[in-house]
Amino acid sequence: MRRGLILEGGAMRGLFTAGIIDVMMEHDVWPDGLIGVSAGAAFGCNMKSRQPGRAIRYNKRFAHDPRYSGLRSLLTTGNYFNAEFGYHIVPRQYDVFDDRAFEDNPMRFVCVCTDVETGQPVYKQLDRCTEDTYDWIRASASMPLCSKVVELEGLKLLDGGVSDSIPLEWAERQGYSRNVVILTQPLGYRKQRTRLMPLMRIGLRKYPRMVEAMDQRFQMYNYELDYVAEAERLGRCLVIRPAQKIPIGHISHNPEQMERVYKMGRATGEEYIDRIIAFYE
C-alpha cells in the first residue's frame, strides 16, 4: 500500500493547507508521496524539508515588502510574486529552506505544472535541491496574467492548476492506493468559467492551447471534484476541506488575515489527525 497526499492550489487559500500539513508533521504522520499543485506545491515542499511553520512565517514577514510581491514587482519583472526574491533570496538568506532535510526525506515530492504550448499537465518529481528545483515549484504556482512563463528543461510552464487541479486520478495511476486529499474550497463548491477569458486571450495569445485549457478549466475542475467524491464514497481517499469559504483572496498583504486562515487549517488538522492516522494504517 502506498500512501499519497494530494494538495490542490488556491493561492493564499493554501495557508489553510499549510496549517493541516504542519499538524501532520507535528504528529509524525508522513505519506509515501506528496503531489502538490500551485500553492499546494509552494507550501507542500516544506513538508518534504520537515519545516512546520515556515510557510506562514515567511508570508507574514514579507506581506508588506515590495521586494516579495506587489504591483511594483509585476510592472518591473512581470511577476506579482517576485521570482528572484521570493524563490531564491528568501529561501537562501531570510527563511532558509533545509535542502539537506528535503533530500534526505524519502517521501516522493511531485509538483504539477502546465505546459503552455500543449495545455497539458507536467508532473515533475523533485528529489534534489538546486536552483531549478525552486523554479519548478515557482512554475507550478505561476498564475496566468500575474506571472511570466517559466522556461525549464525545454518546456514553457505556468500554473499546474490550469490542467490538473486535483491530481488524485494521476496519483492512483502511480500506485498510490490510500490518498488524503486536501481541498481549499468547501463542500458544494463548483467552479464557473472565468470571467477573465478576454484578458487571457490577449495575455496568452501566443499559446492557443493554453487559452483553450483556461477556457475549459472549470469543466476539468468539476470533473475532478466528481472523481474525488466517488473515490471518497468507495473509501479510496480521505477528503479534508474547509467547512466554509476561506476568508482570503488569491492575493493578500494582511498578516492577520493570513494567520486566521492558517489557524483554520491547524484546527481542521487537529480535528482530522486521528482519522488521517487510521486511514494511512
Side-chain angles (χ1 to χ4, degrees):
M1 179 186 75
R2 299 178 72 194
R3 301 166 299 174
L5 179 62
I6 316 299
L7 307 181
E8 82 155 319
M12 296 309 293
R13 294 197 310 273
L15 290 172
F16 171 81
T17 302
I20 296 172
I21 63 174
D22 281 358
V23 170
M24 291 176 65
M25 284 190 275
E26 290 161 8
H27 284 79
D28 201 27
V29 178
W30 303 93
D32 298 308
L34 186 160
I35 301 93
V37 183
S38 194
F43 299 158
C45 64
N46 296 297
M47 189 174 204
K48 185 164 171 63
S49 67
R50 301 180 185 268
Q51 291 178 279
R54 183 174 179 272
I56 184 61
R57 187 170 61 237
Y58 71 74
N59 273 287
K60 288 172 61 179
R61 178 179 177 181
F62 295 106
H64 298 297
D65 194 323
R67 295 174 300 171
Y68 183 65
S69 65
L71 288 177
R72 188 171 83 180
S73 176
L74 180 63
L75 293 173
T76 57
T77 72
N79 295 292
Y80 191 91
F81 290 93
N82 187 283
E84 180 61 22
F85 187 80
Y87 286 91
H88 295 279
I89 295 176
V90 168
R92 291 300 192 201
Q93 298 181 22
Y94 291 104
D95 200 319
V96 176
F97 190 73
D98 194 332
D99 293 355
R100 175 62 63 84
F102 182 96
E103 294 181 357
D104 288 347
N105 188 340
M107 181 184 76
R108 183 185 184 196
F109 178 80
V110 176
C111 73
V112 185
C113 305
T114 300
D115 183 330
V116 299
E117 295 185 314
T118 66
Q120 296 299 307
V122 175
Y123 306 91
K124 179 65 175 179
Q125 181 170 331
L126 299 171
D127 301 312
R128 298 185 61 254
C129 269
T130 66
E131 297 306 314
D132 278 358
T133 300
Y134 296 157
D135 281 328
W136 273 102
I137 295 169
R138 174 169 68 92
S140 180
S142 290
M143 297 181 290
L145 300 185
C146 294
S147 313
K148 293 173 64 176
V149 169
V150 181
E151 298 191 30
L152 288 164
E153 297 181 19
L155 300 172
K156 296 181 179 180
L157 306 162
L158 282 176
D159 191 345
V162 174
S163 54
D164 194 352
S165 295
I166 314 169
L168 174 61
E169 189 172 5
W170 182 85
E172 290 181 335
R173 291 199 303 268
Q174 306 309 302
Y176 293 96
S177 57
R178 302 288 282 177
N179 291 289
V180 172
V181 180
I182 302 180
L183 304 179
T184 58
Q185 295 286 7
L187 184 65
Y189 174 80
R190 304 294 286 185
K191 187 175 287 295
Q192 305 298 316
R193 176 180 271 118
T194 177
R195 292 175 292 181
L196 296 177
M197 278 313 301
L199 290 177
M200 295 290 180
R201 290 190 174 94
I202 295 171
L204 297 168
R205 59 189 177 276
K206 293 194 294 184
Y207 307 109
R209 296 290 178 84
M210 185 67 173
V211 172
E212 183 180 357
M214 285 297 306
D215 194 37
Q216 296 176 356
R217 185 186 179 192
F218 76 104
Q219 295 173 318
M220 174 273 296
Y221 186 89
N222 293 335
Y223 162 80
E224 293 192 333
L225 284 179
D226 292 340
Y227 186 92
V228 167
E230 179 65 7
E232 182 181 30
R233 186 184 70 81
L234 295 173
R236 298 203 313 267
C237 71
L238 173 65
V239 181
I240 305 174
R241 53 167 65 85
Q244 59 202 28
K245 184 177 179 181
I246 295 175
I248 199 168
H250 277 76
I251 293 168
S252 174
H253 296 279
N254 184 329
E256 291 76 21
Q257 186 182 50
M258 294 176 187
E259 182 70 19
R260 284 196 297 272
V261 171
Y262 174 72
K263 286 183 175 178
M264 283 178 60
R266 286 196 61 90
T268 302
E270 293 289 358
E271 176 188 348
Y272 272 86
I273 192 64
D274 289 339
R275 277 178 273 182
I276 295 171
I277 293 170
F279 182 76
Y280 273 162
E281 286 181 348

